[in-house]
Amino acid sequence: GKKGVVQLAAPQLASAALEGAEEIGPPKFNKYAGWVEWKNTVFLWVNAVGGSFDNNFRANGREVNWYVGGANPSDSSPIVKRLLTLSSSRAAKPGFEVCLFVRARATEPYVFCGRCNYRGHNGQRKGYEFNWRLSDYPKLVKCPAFRELLALQKPAAAAAVATAATRRAGTRAAARWT
């Protein structure tokens, strides 16, 4: 889960352990949030299926949407301000990265999907939506775990199309009988 990823990413844990530090704990983060902030990186967490928001891969997996979540995210929320500021001024912040971790379902492990580039956002959407382009897509598409995540969305998309077609047919049939 998130805790394991955060612990692996925390360089001070590894160096402190090597130096024999007795009291060292994991970095602090909110396990319910969809992000973890670091000095030069933000990790984004996504459930591909289920959860409170519809996170979808688009453009054959090259792009994905992500929601801030929480009670009432807005332009003044700290994480939103940081992502918008740093994403719009990447040239001014060399070395800053946004990294994406996706899991199929809440009970499964995360797949590291690499670095993301800001594509846009919609603060009017419930949860405050960001759109990201996967920088490492050419490598990711060769990864079986990533392809499995993409395949999860294909049946859902097909089911949604079928459901919409059924509703349209039902609406037409109901219109004939009224």
Side-chain angles (χ1 to χ4, degrees), residues 29-170:
F29 69 98
N30 180 346
K31 71 177 187 174
Y32 300 107
W35 72 90
V36 174
E37 294 184 77
W38 302 85
K39 182 178 180 179
N40 62 348
T41 305
V42 174
F43 288 179
L44 304 179
W45 310 103
V46 171
N47 289 332
V49 177
S52 303
F53 301 100
D54 290 326
N55 300 294
N56 295 298
F57 285 101
R58 292 180 306 282
N60 294 320
R62 286 178 178 84
E63 296 182 7
V64 66
N65 61 340
W66 170 82
Y67 295 87
V68 174
N72 293 304
S74 68
D75 289 334
S76 61
S77 300
I79 187 64
V80 171
K81 284 171 40 176
R82 184 168 188 212
L83 289 172
L84 289 176
T85 299
L86 294 171
S87 295
S88 64
S89 62
R90 249 185 207 233
K93 294 287 184 183
F96 177 80
E97 298 291 346
V98 174
C99 296
L100 180 69
F101 293 84
V102 180
R103 62 183 175 184
R105 292 169 189 80
T107 56
E108 296 185 23
Y110 284 99
V111 174
F112 177 57
C113 294
R115 300 166 294 134
C116 300
N117 291 321
Y118 172 81
R119 299 284 293 160
H121 68 281
N122 183 346
Q124 301 304 309
R125 299 273 320 253
K126 180 182 180 242
Y128 205 107
E129 180 186 42
F130 276 85
N131 295 294
W132 302 99
R133 185 163 186 88
L134 302 180
S135 303
D136 301 311
Y137 178 80
K139 292 177 186 173
L140 275 172
V141 76
K142 298 174 187 171
C143 174
F146 180 72
R147 289 195 311 264
E148 286 175 24
L149 291 172
L150 294 180
L152 282 173
Q153 293 191 334
K154 289 181 183 174
V161 169
T163 301
T166 302
R167 281 190 194 129
R168 283 191 303 274

Side-chain angles (χ1 to χ4, degrees), residues 11-24:
Q12 72 273 15
L13 289 177
S15 57
L18 291 174
E19 294 169 11
E22 291 182 27
E23 301 238 2
I24 187 82

